[in-house]
Amino acid sequence: MPKIVDPEARRLEIADAVFRVIRRDGVDQASLRAVATKAGLVIGSVRHYFATHDEMIVFAMRVLADRVTTRIAGRAAEIFAGTGDRFEATVRLLAEFLPLDETRAAEAEVWLAFTVAARTRPDLAAEAGRVHEGTRAVARRCLTEADALGSLRTGLDLPLETERLAALIDGLSLGGVTQPDRLPPRLATDVLRRHLESLRRTR
C-alpha cells in the first residue's frame, strides 16, 4: 500500500525546513530546492504542496506567527483568569516575545529575517504588519487591564506607554538575537521587569 501522507503535517514539516534554512543562510537562500534538501524530500514533493517559492515563504511566516500567538494566548489566560501574581504573570507573558531559550531564540532569529525581507517584499509585509500590531495589542491590553485595576501610576498616557512597551519588547528581541552576549536572557528579563515596575502605582 502507498504511504498515506497528511498534507497539513507535510506542509508544516516543510515550514520547519524553511526555518532551518533561513536561520543558517537567510531568506534569500530558502529556495524550493534548498528547503527540499533540508526536509529530506525531492523538490517535486515540495512543489506538490507549494506552487511557488513565495507561497512557501508566506506560509512559513504565517506558521511561525501562529505558533507564537498560540503560546502567548496561553500565557494571557493566566493573567486574565485573575489568579496568582498578576504582575509576574504579565512579565512571563511579555517575555514570550523575547529570545530567552533555544526555541524562542530560533523563532526570533527567523522572525527578524522575515521582517527585514518584508521591507521590500509586499507578500511578506502584510503578515509582518499583523504580528507588529499583535505585539502592540498584547501590550495595550496588559496596560489597560492593569490600569482598570488601579495598578498603574495615575496620569499615564496609555497609548504612549503602549508604544514604549512595544518598542522595548522589539528592542530586547533584536538585541537578544544580534548581541546575545551583551543582552543575555536574564538581563533582558530584568530590563522588562524594571520597566513594568516603573509603571506601577506606589502603595
Side-chain angles (χ1 to χ4, degrees):
M1 291 182 63
K3 181 179 179 181
I4 298 175
V5 177
D6 180 339
E8 187 60 19
R10 178 54 56 84
R11 282 164 66 87
L12 292 174
E13 179 185 342
I14 293 169
D16 283 328
V18 171
F19 302 150
R20 294 196 297 275
V21 173
I22 289 176
R23 194 178 183 194
R24 186 188 64 193
D25 300 320
V27 174
D28 290 343
Q29 300 304 312
S31 65
L32 292 170
R33 186 173 303 279
V35 170
T37 299
K38 182 63 71 173
L41 301 170
V42 297
I43 192 170
S45 294
V46 176
R47 286 195 174 120
H48 176 74
Y49 296 98
F50 300 101
T52 66
H53 167 266
D54 288 351
E55 181 184 333
M56 178 183 70
I57 294 297
V58 171
F59 175 79
M61 191 175 187
R62 189 171 297 126
V63 167
L64 180 56
D66 288 346
R67 285 179 182 174
V68 175
T69 298
T70 298
R71 192 172 65 241
I72 287 171
R75 288 293 191 189
E78 295 180 29
I79 300 174
F80 306 128
T83 58
D85 186 329
R86 192 182 186 97
F87 178 79
E88 288 301 321
T90 300
V91 173
R92 288 192 297 271
L93 167 62
L94 297 175
E96 289 296 340
F97 290 104
L98 306 182
L100 302 183
D101 55 30
E102 176 60 24
T103 296
R104 285 176 284 181
E107 290 173 346
E109 288 173 17
V110 174
W111 188 256
L112 177 59
F114 276 140
T115 53
V116 170
R119 189 180 66 82
T120 56
R121 291 185 55 170
D123 55 329
L124 300 181
E127 196 62 33
R130 181 172 76 91
V131 173
H132 180 80
E133 178 50 37
T135 302
R136 276 143 186 79
V138 172
R140 185 182 304 115
R141 184 172 181 188
C142 287
L143 295 177
T144 300
E145 295 266 344
D147 188 53
L149 292 171
S151 300
L152 299 185
R153 292 189 285 109
T154 58
L156 290 177
D157 182 335
L158 291 187
L160 178 62
E161 294 301 335
T162 294
E163 290 302 319
R164 278 217 310 158
L165 178 54
L168 177 68
I169 292 168
D170 288 344
L172 291 174
S173 182
L174 176 63
V177 168
T178 60
Q179 299 287 331
D181 293 336
R182 294 186 180 183
L183 191 63
R186 177 64 179 273
L187 179 57
T189 304
D190 287 346
V191 171
L192 175 62
R193 178 177 283 105
R194 180 65 61 86
H195 177 75
L196 294 175
E197 286 173 345
S198 75
L199 304 178
R200 298 178 80 180
R201 185 180 67 181
T202 56
R203 301 184 182 277

